[in-house]
């Protein structure tokens, strides 16, 4: 591919992930926080492995439209998450974030189904939250993010959790889907979670914000 000189390319430092990510460069970007959209590893840009555009140009003939596809990974290991991220880019989807209001831990959700559960040694969900009390199931809910004519639609359903998911203090019956809008909250385990749907464009907002990859 032909690297875009206005973009920086970094590799996720998580060895099991190692995806190549790109974003528009801006002043002092190496000190900005970044989150891998594939495995949700977080850190500063300088903690990620920066790739030189020249190396990318020499190592692959992929088109520039696919900057998130790493040339060094076998196609089967990168396919689903790379596609999800490309959809995010192409459609300029809103950025959907789920935050544990009590602890501040937050993760971005990707287009499609996102399974959310407790972080353990044997995780069963894609999006993992710390839950020391173990009231949250390993796969607690499925949150679906999709584009509709009116914008981005977010749907929540319980995935058969042990202790239930509560919306407006009512336990969500298993299999029932509820639509969430920006700012909606619900309870999983002992904690309150808040969904944020951001309509800001897919680039850096403030230096203190996580970089939005595109
Ligand atoms: Zn990663």
């Amino acid at each position: 591919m032909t690297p875009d000189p206005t973009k920086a390319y970094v590799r996720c430092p998580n060895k099991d992930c190692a995806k190549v990510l790109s974003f528009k460069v801006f002043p002092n970007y190496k000190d900005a926080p970044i989150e891998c959209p594939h495995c949700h590893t977080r850190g500063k840009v300088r903690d990620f492995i920066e790739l030189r555009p020249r190396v990318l140009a020499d190592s692959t003939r992929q088109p520039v439209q696919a900057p998130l596809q790493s040339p060094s990974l076998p196609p089967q290991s990168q396919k689903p998450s790379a596609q999800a991220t490309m959809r995010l880019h192409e459609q300029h989807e809103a950025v959907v974030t789920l935050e544990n209001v009590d602890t501040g831990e937050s993760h971005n959700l990707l287009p499609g189904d996102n399974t959310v559960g407790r972080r353990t040694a044997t995780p069963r969900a894609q999006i993992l939250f710390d839950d020391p009390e173990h009231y949250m199931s390993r796969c607690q809910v499925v949150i679906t993010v999709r584009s509709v004519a009116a914008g981005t639609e977010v749907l929540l359903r319980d995935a058969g959790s042990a202790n239930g998911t509560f919306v407006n203090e009512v336990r969500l019956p298993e299999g029932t889907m509820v639509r969430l809008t920006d700012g909606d909250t619900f309870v999983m385990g002992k904690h309150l979670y808040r969904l944020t749907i951001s309509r800001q464009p897919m680039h850096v907002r403030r230096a203190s914000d996580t970089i939005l990859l595109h």
Side-chain angles (χ1 to χ4, degrees), residues 84-98:
T85 305
M86 290 309 290
R87 281 205 303 278
L88 194 68
H89 169 48
E90 286 160 7
Q91 298 177 0
H92 285 255
E93 298 252 9
V95 177
V96 181
T97 306
L98 183 64

Side-chain angles (χ1 to χ4, degrees), residues 97-151:
T97 306
L98 183 64
E99 178 186 15
N100 180 331
V101 176
D102 300 322
T103 67
E105 180 177 5
S106 78
H107 298 286
N108 290 342
L109 305 181
L110 289 172
D113 287 345
N114 297 262
T115 52
V116 180
R118 173 163 51 87
R119 180 176 287 117
T120 69
T122 54
R124 288 217 185 134
Q126 298 158 312
I127 310 288
L128 303 174
F129 282 90
D130 283 331
D131 186 60
E133 302 94 347
H134 286 203
Y135 272 82
M136 189 187 204
S137 293
R138 285 187 293 172
C139 185
Q140 172 84 24
V141 293
V142 180
I143 301 177
T144 304
V145 177
R146 64 188 188 193
S147 287
V148 293

Side-chain angles (χ1 to χ4, degrees), residues 11-14 16-19 21 36-41 48:
R11 190 184 297 282
C12 176
N14 173 2
D16 294 330
C17 173
K19 295 285 192 298
L21 316 172
C36 174
H38 305 280
C39 70
H40 300 285
T41 293
F48 281 52

Side-chain angles (χ1 to χ4, degrees), residues 1-20:
M1 72 188 206
T2 307
D4 182 340
T6 68
K7 286 186 171 183
Y9 296 84
V10 297
R11 190 184 297 282
C12 176
N14 173 2
K15 288 191 172 62
D16 294 330
C17 173
K19 295 285 192 298
V20 175

